[in-house]
């Protein structure tokens, strides 16, 4: 873990809520000099604190009406099966998140589709057709009660 002081944490909190703020705007908001803010951001980037900078999009506005949480079990726990499934999850654009788990299921994925019919096609023709997948259990999301990328710093 990277050791962060109070000012660096304040910068991260501000960026998590408004990622497009300039160093000058951040400095004004946090009552720091823009040089200090810029230097701290550069240091945190070098330390790997930022995994990416991305816009958070509204799926419904883009026609992605169906969000599904899918628990997946693979046929074998060997490295080849895991790598094959993980490569599939990383490259399929409908899958936005994939987590390897302990417990009853091997993975849980978050996937988006334009419709139930579109989701069914993904499930039957892609996910369940994948050679490493043994079974899945899908739950349709009724309402995203909380959808945050902000970490508790």
């Amino acid at each position: 873990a990277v050791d962060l002081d109070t000012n660096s944490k304040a910068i991260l909190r501000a960026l998590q809520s408004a990622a497009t703020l300039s160093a000058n705007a951040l400095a004004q908001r946090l009552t720091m000099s823009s040089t200090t803010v810029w230097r701290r951001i550069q240091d945190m980037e070098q330390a790997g604190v930022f995994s990416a900078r991305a816009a958070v999009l509204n799926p419904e506005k883009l026609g992605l009406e169906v969000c599904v949480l899918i628990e997946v079990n693979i046929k074998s726990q060997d490295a080849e099966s895991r790598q094959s499934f993980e490569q599939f999850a990383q490259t399929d654009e409908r899958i936005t998140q994939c987590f390897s788990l302990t417990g009853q299921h091997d993975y849980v994925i978050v996937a988006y589709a334009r419709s139930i019919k579109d989701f069914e096609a993904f499930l039957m023709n892609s996910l369940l057709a994948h050679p490493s997948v043994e079974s899945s259990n899908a739950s349709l999301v009724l309402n995203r009660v909380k959808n945050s990328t902000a970490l508790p710093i």
Side-chain angles (χ1 to χ4, degrees):
V2 176
D3 189 30
L4 300 172
D5 66 11
T6 304
N7 287 337
S8 293
K9 289 178 182 179
I11 292 168
L12 291 175
R13 282 189 204 97
L15 285 173
Q16 285 189 122
S17 65
T20 59
L21 286 176
S22 68
N24 287 337
L26 275 171
Q28 287 178 347
R29 181 183 282 193
L30 301 172
T31 61
M32 293 182 213
S33 75
S34 58
T35 303
T36 298
V37 169
W38 182 85
R39 183 177 36 81
R40 286 175 182 260
I41 290 171
Q42 294 301 309
D43 290 346
M44 288 186 284
E45 282 182 340
Q46 290 294 319
V49 172
F50 298 96
S51 60
R53 292 191 191 196
V56 179
L57 305 177
N58 182 332
E60 290 86 10
K61 297 288 185 186
L62 299 170
L64 298 167
E65 299 290 332
V66 178
C67 178
V68 188
L69 306 179
I70 309 167
E71 299 161 327
V72 177
N73 289 321
I74 58 175
K75 293 177 182 174
S76 172
Q77 296 300 319
D78 63 53
E80 184 178 330
S81 293
R82 288 191 319 270
Q83 289 171 353
S84 176
F85 179 76
E86 290 173 9
Q87 179 65 28
F88 164 74
Q90 289 170 356
T91 58
D92 192 300
E93 68 179 10
R94 295 164 291 198
I95 298 172
T96 59
Q97 296 178 324
C98 178
F99 303 95
S100 176
L101 306 174
T102 63
Q104 291 183 329
H105 303 286
D106 299 318
Y107 295 91
V108 66
I109 61 176
V110 178
Y112 285 87
R114 297 194 177 283
S115 65
I116 295 295
K117 192 163 201 61
D118 186 36
F119 167 67
E120 180 187 18
F122 162 71
L123 181 66
M124 298 303 191
N125 301 329
S126 295
L127 183 64
L128 292 176
H130 192 276
S132 66
V133 173
E134 181 177 303
S135 64
S136 72
N137 182 39
S139 297
L140 293 174
V141 173
L142 298 176
N143 181 26
R144 282 183 282 140
V145 176
K146 182 175 182 179
N147 186 33
S148 174
T149 60
L151 295 175
I153 302 171

